[in-house]
């Protein structure tokens, strides 16, 4: 196929170089955005008297038939086309003749690609936001069912203090609300239309860029035509936000993997989200969570690819920028796939409350509460902390726990100890008495559940 720009050249492009240069095999993903952008551009050209209304109608109708045929699969992408923009334009000219050649007045492919990727990322990111909301809903299902499920909370992966399972997983919900905020914030900054930059310096035609911007749902136009075609900050911002989503999913995955091990056995994943082993008949593996954890690295890699592609580029467009698409498409696909299995995996997992409770009984996780008991009776916290440390050491040497140490032994450490201490350090009391805002106590957990429900409705 002859290139649109062949006029200036005496020879055709080498076959290997042609394939190397072509981006149709990945930018074909943006065909809807490319065609929509072209339709609005044609409408603007007619409105401004740059092309006739009849020509515009023919162009828009022609583009619509291309869109329909691509949607239905009747029309296939030409693998020899240079990119999606060239493909659509040459297909249009093939269908409606010379009128199709008027479409590219007062615009450049550099504007088109900058427009298409913005439109594409806007659509895909909104889809990702919906998927994160589904995950929030799945977390809510488990949180509501486990408001009184006591488990050990950890620091350094050592049993630390009693918490509820609801409180633990609501921590992840908070992270995912921030992810949605971050994505929306990046979308806000990206939502300016570059079409009409005309490669880099603007045009001599009396275009109406604001009209096109409004028609395509943008908040305005890019104010500097050089920036309009050179800016890929939004790709970096979105990739960074996608990476953060993956980091959160990966941390959550790590806990899911630990909790489903025989050593913890805090949860059992549903059969539909686990796999077996080819040799060990007893195995039930948390592959989905492991894959999510594993795929996090590729999204980080996509972010670094983008940053690196941009770092040495002079203004304005350079072909290096064609490298923006494969990495961001890969990141989007990865994030979407991960969210699609992760949410139902969380919603369907079986929480083994008894195992959580017995683990909570074994790690002296009520030691802070025992120190608080003495403090509330007047002892300075540091002194109480020291005494409780000695009591814990004594319990360990005797093979008992705080709840089973006799009161006489307690009294050898301090006269302030009384029978009421046993109630004060029961796991239920420890959780109930965490009344501080944001803590694991019931009122705080209820408030978090309400916050997440409202967040889902509002976003
Ligand atoms: N395929 C190109 C890309 O993805 C489109 C823009 C090409 N512009 C140009 N002047 N070669 O970046």
């Amino acid at each position: 196929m002859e290139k649109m720009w062949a006029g200036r050249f005496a020879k055709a492009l080498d076959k290997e170089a042609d394939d190397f240069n072509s981006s149709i095999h990945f930018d074909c993903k943006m065909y809807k955005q490319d065609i929509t952008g072209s339709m609005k551009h044609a409408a603007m050209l007619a409105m401004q008297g740059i092309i006739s209304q009849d020509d515009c109608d023919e162009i828009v109708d022609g583009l619509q038939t291309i869109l329909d045929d691509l949607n239905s699969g009747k029309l296939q992408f030409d693998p020899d086309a240079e990119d999606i923009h060239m493909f659509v334009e040459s297909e249009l000219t093939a269908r409606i003749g010379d009128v199709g050649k008027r479409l590219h007045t007062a615009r450049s492919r550099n504007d088109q690609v900058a427009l298409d990727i913005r439109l594409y990322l806007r659509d895909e990111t909104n889809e990702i936001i919906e998927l994160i909301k589904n995950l929030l809903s799945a977390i809510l299902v488990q949180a509501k069912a486990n408001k009184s499920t006591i488990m050990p909370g950890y620091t350094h992966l050592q049993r630390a203090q009693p918490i509820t399972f609801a409180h633990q997983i609501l921590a992840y919900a908070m992270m995912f609300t921030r992810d949605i905020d971050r994505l929306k914030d990046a979308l806000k900054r990206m939502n300016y239309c570059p079409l009409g930059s005309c490669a880099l310096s603007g045009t001599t035609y009396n275009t109406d860029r604001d009209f096109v911007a409004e028609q395509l749902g943008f908040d305005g136009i890019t104010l500097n035509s050089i920036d309009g075609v050179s800016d890929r900050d939004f790709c970096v911002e979105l990739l960074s936000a996608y990476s953060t989503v993956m980091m959160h999913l990966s941390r959550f995955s790590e806990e899911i993997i630990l909790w489903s091990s025989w050593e913890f056995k805090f949860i059992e994943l549903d059969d539909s989200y686990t796999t077996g082993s080819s040799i060990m008949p007893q195995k039930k593996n948390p592959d989905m969570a492991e894959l999510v954890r594993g795929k996090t690295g590729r999204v980080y890699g996509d972010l670094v690819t983008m940053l690196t592609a941009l770092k040495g580029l002079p203004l304005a467009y350079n072909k290096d920028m064609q490298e923006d698409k494969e990495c961001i498409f890969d990141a989007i696909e990865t994030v979407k796939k991960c969210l699609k299995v992760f949410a139902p995996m969380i919603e369907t997992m079986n929480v083994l409350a008894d195992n959580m409770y017995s683990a909570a009984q074994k790690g002296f996780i009520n030691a802070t509460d025992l120190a608080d008991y003495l403090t509330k009776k007047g002892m300075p916290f540091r002194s109480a902390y020291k005494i409780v440390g000695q009591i814990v050491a004594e319990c360990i040497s005797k093979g008992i726990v705080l709840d089973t140490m006799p009161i006489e032994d307690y009294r050898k450490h301090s006269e302030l100890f009384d029978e009421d201490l046993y109630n004060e350090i029961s796991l239920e009391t420890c959780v109930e008495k965490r009344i501080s805002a944001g803590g694991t106590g019931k009122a705080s957990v209820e408030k978090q559940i309400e916050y997440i429900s409202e967040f889902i409705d509002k976003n």
Side-chain angles (χ1 to χ4, degrees):
M1 189 173 62
E2 189 179 65
K3 298 286 183 225
M4 242 169 243
W5 37 257
R8 190 236 176 276
F9 294 83
K11 271 167 63 177
L13 189 57
D14 169 77
K15 173 80 183 99
E16 202 70 47
D18 197 10
D19 291 346
F20 184 62
N21 190 48
S22 167
S23 54
I24 186 78
H25 62 285
F26 52 86
D27 62 20
C28 59
K29 272 184 190 296
M30 308 190 299
Y31 76 92
K32 284 185 189 149
Q33 290 77 9
D34 194 74
I35 292 173
T36 311
S38 288
M39 286 174 165
K40 303 302 178 193
H41 179 68
M44 182 279 288
L45 292 178
M47 197 179 80
Q48 295 299 99
I50 300 168
I51 63 171
S52 71
Q53 191 57 50
D54 284 351
D55 286 352
C56 168
D57 293 345
E58 257 193 82
I59 288 172
V60 171
D61 290 349
L63 287 169
Q64 186 62 50
T65 63
I66 297 174
L67 183 59
D68 293 343
D69 291 351
L70 284 172
N71 282 339
S72 69
K74 202 168 133 195
L75 175 64
Q76 304 290 316
F77 296 107
D78 175 3
D80 292 332
E82 191 172 328
D83 56 29
I84 186 60
H85 326 293
M86 290 300 209
F87 171 76
V88 171
E89 196 185 326
S90 61
E91 184 62 28
L92 180 69
T93 306
R95 289 184 183 209
I96 67 168
D98 278 358
V99 174
K101 296 181 181 170
R102 297 194 186 276
L103 173 62
H104 208 58
T105 316
R107 74 169 189 189
S108 134
R109 257 194 304 163
N110 300 349
D111 323 9
Q112 271 182 282
V113 72
L115 169 72
D116 295 358
I117 186 119
R118 279 169 162 92
L119 291 174
Y120 185 83
L121 292 176
R122 195 169 70 185
D123 292 346
E124 292 293 320
T125 303
N126 280 322
E127 231 181 272
I128 289 175
I129 289 171
E130 286 309 307
L131 291 171
I132 300 176
K133 281 164 63 181
N134 291 347
L135 174 55
L136 286 174
S137 302
I139 295 175
L140 268 192
V141 169
Q142 291 290 1
K144 285 178 185 165
N146 289 287
K147 284 190 276 192
S148 316
T149 306
I150 293 177
M151 68 178 282
Y154 295 81
T155 65
H156 310 268
L157 212 53
Q158 301 289 317
R159 289 173 188 159
Q161 287 176 347
I163 55 170
T164 62
F165 186 61
H167 194 52
Q168 174 85 1
I169 57 173
L170 282 165
Y172 286 104
M174 297 303 162
M175 299 176 211
F176 293 119
T177 64
R178 291 195 294 274
D179 285 329
I180 290 179
D181 283 348
R182 250 185 293 274
L183 291 167
K184 289 197 160 181
D185 193 49
L187 286 185
K188 234 184 339 188
R189 248 185 312 284
M190 179 182 78
N191 207 26
Y192 293 89
C193 184
L195 199 68
S197 296
C198 298
L200 79 158
S201 66
T203 179
T204 54
Y205 290 100
N206 176 31
T207 52
D208 186 345
R209 293 187 55 210
D210 291 301
F211 169 80
V212 179
E214 202 216 292
Q215 290 283 304
L216 292 169
F218 285 102
D219 294 324
I221 59 163
T222 52
L223 285 181
N224 178 306
S225 57
I226 299 177
D227 181 49
V229 290
S230 314
D231 171 29
R232 293 293 184 274
D233 292 0
F234 52 91
C235 295
V236 173
E237 281 195 59
L238 285 172
L239 278 166
S240 163
Y242 301 153
S243 295
T244 310
V245 173
M246 290 303 298
M247 180 265 286
H248 292 151
L249 286 175
S250 187
R251 292 183 76 171
F252 205 168
S253 293
E254 171 66 11
E255 301 227 74
I256 295 294
I257 295 159
L258 281 175
W259 293 338
S260 36
S261 70
W262 278 105
E263 284 66 23
F264 279 79
K265 261 292 163 248
F266 285 0
I267 58 161
E268 184 169 358
L269 293 173
D270 193 78
D271 282 0
S272 36
Y273 295 97
T274 42
T275 61
S277 150
S278 65
I279 176 171
M280 297 165 282
Q282 83 285 11
K283 291 295 289 293
K284 185 172 176 184
N285 297 329
D287 285 30
M288 308 308 136
E290 290 169 87
L291 274 171
V292 169
R293 190 176 59 184
K295 284 177 187 293
T296 301
R298 51 189 294 166
V299 178
Y300 291 0
D302 292 328
L303 169 63
V304 174
T305 300
M306 179 67 70
L307 282 167
T308 313
L310 294 174
K311 79 179 249 299
L313 297 188
L315 299 176
Y317 178 85
N318 300 267
K319 195 69 175 224
D320 315 45
M321 290 164 85
Q322 183 162 287
E323 290 294 310
D324 61 359
K325 280 170 282 300
E326 279 171 294
C327 57
I328 206 154
F329 292 168
D330 176 72
I332 287 168
E333 203 176 308
T334 307
V335 173
K336 278 166 60 177
K337 274 190 197 158
C338 289
L339 285 165
K340 279 180 192 168
V341 293
F342 202 86
M345 180 186 76
I346 293 298
E347 189 164 344
T348 56
M349 74 186 174
N350 190 13
V351 176
L352 305 175
D354 290 347
N355 293 350
M356 289 185 180
Y357 193 83
S358 64
Q361 284 175 315
K362 286 174 197 151
F364 296 96
I365 64 179
N366 44 5
T368 312
D369 297 82
L370 188 61
D372 285 342
Y373 171 89
L374 289 177
T375 310
K376 282 174 187 160
K377 292 204 166 184
M379 188 181 286
F381 180 76
R382 249 326 136 224
S383 317
Y385 171 95
K386 189 173 173 198
I387 289 177
V388 173
Q390 288 159 350
I391 294 173
V392 167
E394 186 180 325
C395 284
I396 292 171
S397 71
K398 291 179 172 165
I400 57 173
V401 291
L402 296 176
D403 313 66
T404 51
M405 177 148 137
I407 188 70
E408 310 80 66
D409 292 350
Y410 269 114
R411 286 182 157 282
K412 283 180 207 147
H413 290 274
S414 166
E415 285 295 308
L416 293 174
F417 284 121
D418 240 318
E419 285 289 348
D420 61 344
L421 80 87
Y422 296 104
N423 181 50
E424 283 302 299
I425 64 168
S426 84
L427 292 175
E428 288 75 9
T429 315
C430 294
V431 169
E432 267 164 38
K433 289 214 166 162
R434 290 279 185 293
I435 51 165
S436 62
T440 195
K442 202 159 197 147
S444 153
V445 167
E446 299 276 12
K447 198 167 175 180
Q448 295 175 57
I449 289 175
E450 201 182 303
Y451 173 78
I452 300 294
S453 312
E454 279 174 14
F455 185 93
I456 295 171
D457 292 342
K458 276 194 294 211
N459 278 273

